[in-house]
């Protein structure tokens, strides 16, 4: 597989000057992927790579317009504050942004109304779409179940994405006045019917060879709709990161969740 | 499979009086399914079944509020005109509604602004959603291909639904400035790469045992999103017909396409 | 779907006289399908249909060479005895054949060494192959799990076929010295990991629209093998019944299980 | 994904001394994977890694019992000859073994009857099983088609594995007296029905994000059997290489094709 391929599925043809991009946390696994992805995109220019211990001053010297933060929870807030105060837009994949941090950041952004910050818990475009479509479709089907499949070294079941999808599906069903999916099961001595999460059955498969996969199955009399997402490699997150980089300057303020950059309602 | 099950996936709990429904073309295959579906739905009341040769006057006597037209191209326009002129909403699954007919109907509806008519080429909720989601997702992926699978007695390839999906995907890709999906194929002596429809590769499988199935495959580096619809039985159309019956009275005027009753933008 | 199509996937071209076939239990659901299937096969001739209360004497008058028993547990043993004593081969889909009955039948067949009887708990060729292939493949993979999907009116989970498949897979793994599939799960509060049957994880999905479906997933580092069987309609059993009818006269004695007529070792 | 995991799906528990293994071509991509795989297997001991320019004499010093040849067509024959002459069993994944070379090797092996050599064009256990099962199942189904899916940098369609599978399926169908799969297609202006290879329809999907995947679809009235193989990573070949290493010393002479080490007839 040519994973070196430019991740430019959503590039609009453009003759503008490339956007100047910095990567923070450039020596981590995700950071290294981001460096490669920015490097490979014609409409972006990598101007700075910052690792642990490097000074953020480099950002100013480099002329970066957008910073990608893929560091650690302990430093991400300070990094983003520095960027916002210096007029640099941010795309943040680091975890650890709790309510308090988000509210402090919102406040800061009010003083810098031209700066945009995207914080996303999941940069996989496919996973975001799969969740969204599952929720949109849920109210039209009598039955919905979720099957997620991961490598066998995963310690929790179900996956966080499956639990969130179930919550979204459950909420959509309740909002439409639907009851739980029909189920005549009377005998299930070993728990083959799986977990109920927000009223939705969720099944977790663990199999050597797999990475991260999920199916939402929706059934009516005589038909089934399946929405499946396969994540074969963590490099898949880069499509979403680049979408964020390309969009963030036109979306001032704080945005939480990649889906808000995807204009799915249009 | 309990196909006698009430097709009520989208019923909102209601204490209102049931809606009075007539079925035109009640003795055809689809009409007979509609009779059974209306009969099995608690919030609907079957008040009239009209076959070939029966007088439309029965509709007035029966007090029908909504008529389902599943007749033939030769009579559907006259049936719908009669209904509109008598204040009966219509849900129309019969084919043959060309531009001329639609424009005559629009004109008539202007004189009866309280009446709603839904004309839909495809009443499968799953198929409508699969097409919609494919088009929504297309601009986010570097590659998109379509595989449709049908019973081997089908005479045309690709299927009409696959061709429409390809057209929708192709249009979404072009609007986003995407080029054709990457393809390094140099040697393909027997045409294994399938058809190109609006720039999108489409593959048609014909297999005994199948009914009507379709997959849209969307790929980025490291990930794939699959949207699959399985139609196991033509009774699946009834979910969409009932959705139309329940919605049409609140949507005056002419609506073309079930998707407009599904509020997918919300 | 053209379900009227001749079920003749395994017919060898032949110019021999058609085999004369009788159907016992011809008015039941499965019996009626068998009547249609025999009627539609060029190399078979339907010579007798026997319902509840009809005399078995008809079989002799009709010249039947093979009888298909799709009756009820209470009468199947008597029917088969009558056939064997009169030199008529039998293909039996009726349940209720416990060890005692089977051993009485074996004894009887010793007195009629030219007669063949096939008793099969499952006449679905696809299901038999899926189980067989799952068992054959199991020892080559680090991980194996089973997902079965059925209509929501099913009362037991997992399905009998899934439990049998798990038992076969488990036995093959143990025979090869394999331990249980790897599984690092530490947190699974709601039982998303499903049932363990003979050391193999089994997941049961219940979804409106489905009939009977099963997947065996086998994983090694970097690869997955999936063996999936979809049963869309009970008419699928007829392929196996006809295979039995065409083969039984060349296999004298008692055969238990359709797989023994399928020469899978060749 | 923990790809560092020991590839030991088929290890029988053993208290014997580990087998001493050498890797030839140890610095190539496949060779490096082999080094890691042997290193991670408890029942194997890596005693020598030989790269371009290294002397084969090292093999003798190291006491290697089995050599894995993952070099280049120009040197593989010489390497194998050296091993055979010195009583070292060989597992060969290098291409370029034409009829002439194979026959010269067979001759040499006659002089060294205790030595085993396995030459395999495909070391993917899953791919070998998928082909085998497709061929075994083919004669029981009215319809068979093949869909293969690969990354978009592949230059040929269909894939070699798909063509071989089609040939095996076609041969099995003809041997059973089956005609071509039914197909009523009359209109297919753009070639959506794909390629016909040995009478079997083959479809080639090219999609960014994929690696190498293949489905054989087999259909009868009312049912479908699907045999799917997903190769997510070339490391998957290592399961087959290790199977070869563990088996080759007990199979003297020349074996062509991994399937012969898999005892699929048992």
């Amino acid at each position: 597989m040519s994973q070196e391929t430019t991740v430019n599925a959503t590039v609009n043809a453009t003759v503008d000057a490339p956007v100047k991009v910095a990567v923070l946390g450039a020596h981590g696994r995700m950071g290294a992927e981001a460096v490669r992805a920015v490097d490979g995109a014609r409409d972006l220019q990598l101007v700075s790579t910052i690792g642990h211990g490097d000074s953020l001053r480099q950002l100013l010297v480099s002329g970066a317009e957008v910073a990608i933060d893929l560091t650690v929870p302990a430093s991400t807030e300070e990094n983003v504050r520095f960027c916002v105060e210096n007029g640099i837009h941010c795309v943040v994949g680091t975890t650890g942004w709790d309510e308090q941090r988000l509210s402090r950041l919102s406040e800061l952004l009010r003083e810098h109304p031209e700066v945009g910050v995207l914080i996303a818990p999941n940069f996989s475009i496919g996973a975001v779409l799969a969740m969204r479509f599952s929720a949109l479709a849920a109210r039209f089907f009598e039955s919905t179940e979720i099957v997620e499949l991961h490598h066998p070294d995963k310690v929790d079941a179900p996956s966080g994405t499956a639990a969130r999808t179930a919550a979204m599906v459950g909420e959509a069903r309740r909002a439409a006045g639907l009851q739980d999916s029909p189920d005549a099961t009377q005998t299930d001595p070993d728990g083959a019917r799986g977990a109920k999460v927000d009223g939705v059955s969720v099944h977790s498969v663990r199999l050597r060879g797999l990475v991260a996969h999920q199916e939402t199955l929706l059934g009516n009399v005589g038909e089934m709709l399946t929405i499946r997402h396969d994540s074969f490699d963590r490099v898949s997150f880069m499509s979403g990161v680049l979408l964020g980089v390309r969009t963030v300057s036109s979306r001032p303020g704080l945005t939480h969740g990649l889906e808000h950059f995807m204009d799915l309602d249009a």
Side-chain angles (χ1 to χ4, degrees), chain A residues 183-196:
Chain A
D183 182 2
T185 308
Q186 290 172 14
T187 313
D188 180 15
D190 301 310
R193 289 284 291 116
K196 275 260 182 173

Side-chain angles (χ1 to χ4, degrees), chain A residues 6-8 10-21 37-46 65 242 245-246:
Chain A
T6 308
V7 182
N8 61 355
T10 57
V11 181
N12 283 285
T14 172
V15 289
D16 299 336
V19 177
K20 295 180 179 172
V21 181
V38 172
D39 233 17
R42 288 194 204 161
D43 60 332
L44 306 180
Q45 183 187 354
L46 183 68
E65 299 164 86
L242 296 195
V245 168
R246 287 170 178 134

Side-chain angles (χ1 to χ4, degrees), chain A residues 78-113:
Chain A
E78 191 194 325
N79 295 340
V80 173
R81 289 193 76 86
F82 180 90
C83 290
V84 170
E85 286 165 353
N86 288 283
I88 301 170
H89 309 286
C90 292
V91 171
V92 183
T94 316
T95 57
W97 284 89
D98 57 23
E99 284 306 314
Q100 263 193 329
R101 285 178 164 193
L102 290 170
S103 110
R104 279 197 297 260
L105 178 57
S106 287
E107 221 166 295
L108 178 67
L109 280 164
R110 247 170 274 141
E111 299 164 29
H112 302 271

Side-chain angles (χ1 to χ4, degrees), chain A residues 25-246:
Chain A
H27 308 316
R29 289 195 305 189
M30 293 302 289
E33 295 287 2
V35 165
R36 280 210 289 169
V38 172
D39 233 17
R42 288 194 204 161
D43 60 332
L44 306 180
Q45 183 187 354
L46 183 68
V47 295
S48 179
T49 59
I50 293 183
H52 185 63
D54 294 342
S55 164
L56 293 175
R57 294 273 138 207
Q58 284 187 29
L59 284 175
L60 306 184
V61 177
S62 72
E65 299 164 86
V66 178
I68 303 172
D69 184 274
L70 296 165
T71 58
V72 291
S75 64
T76 183
E77 187 176 13
E78 191 194 325
N79 295 340
V80 173
R81 289 193 76 86
F82 180 90
C83 290
V84 170
E85 286 165 353
N86 288 283
I88 301 170
H89 309 286
C90 292
V91 171
V92 183
T94 316
T95 57
W97 284 89
D98 57 23
E99 284 306 314
Q100 263 193 329
R101 285 178 164 193
L102 290 170
S103 110
R104 279 197 297 260
L105 178 57
S106 287
E107 221 166 295
L108 178 67
L109 280 164
R110 247 170 274 141
E111 299 164 29
H112 302 271
E114 77 292 353
V115 180
V117 176
L118 169 67
I119 296 180
N122 193 338
F123 271 104
S124 163
I125 284 177
V128 167
L129 287 172
M131 278 189 276
R132 172 80 178 179
F133 293 161
S134 298
L136 269 176
R139 71 194 149 101
F140 298 109
F141 289 88
E142 197 177 341
S143 298
T144 303
E145 301 208 358
I146 294 167
V147 182
E148 55 94 340
L149 312 94
H150 282 81
H151 60 86
D153 302 320
K154 189 170 179 59
V155 295
D156 54 323
S159 70
T161 301
R164 270 200 302 283
T165 309
M168 291 165 70
V169 163
E171 194 190 319
R173 289 179 62 96
R174 283 187 299 274
L178 289 174
Q179 320 232 296
D180 277 7
S181 299
D183 182 2
T185 308
Q186 290 172 14
T187 313
D188 180 15
D190 301 310
R193 289 284 291 116
K196 275 260 182 173
V197 179
D198 278 290
V200 176
S201 290
V202 179
H203 310 268
S204 298
V205 174
R206 297 292 172 261
L207 205 81
R208 181 68 70 212
L210 292 181
V211 183
H213 315 257
Q214 183 174 310
E215 280 187 351
T216 305
L217 306 174
L218 303 116
N220 271 339
V221 173
E223 71 171 339
M224 176 165 63
L225 179 69
T226 304
I227 297 163
R228 179 176 177 117
H229 180 244
D230 291 278
S231 179
F232 301 118
D233 196 302
R234 81 169 64 85
V235 74
S236 67
F237 288 108
M238 288 308 129
S239 304
V241 170
L242 296 195
L243 174 63
V245 168
R246 287 170 178 134

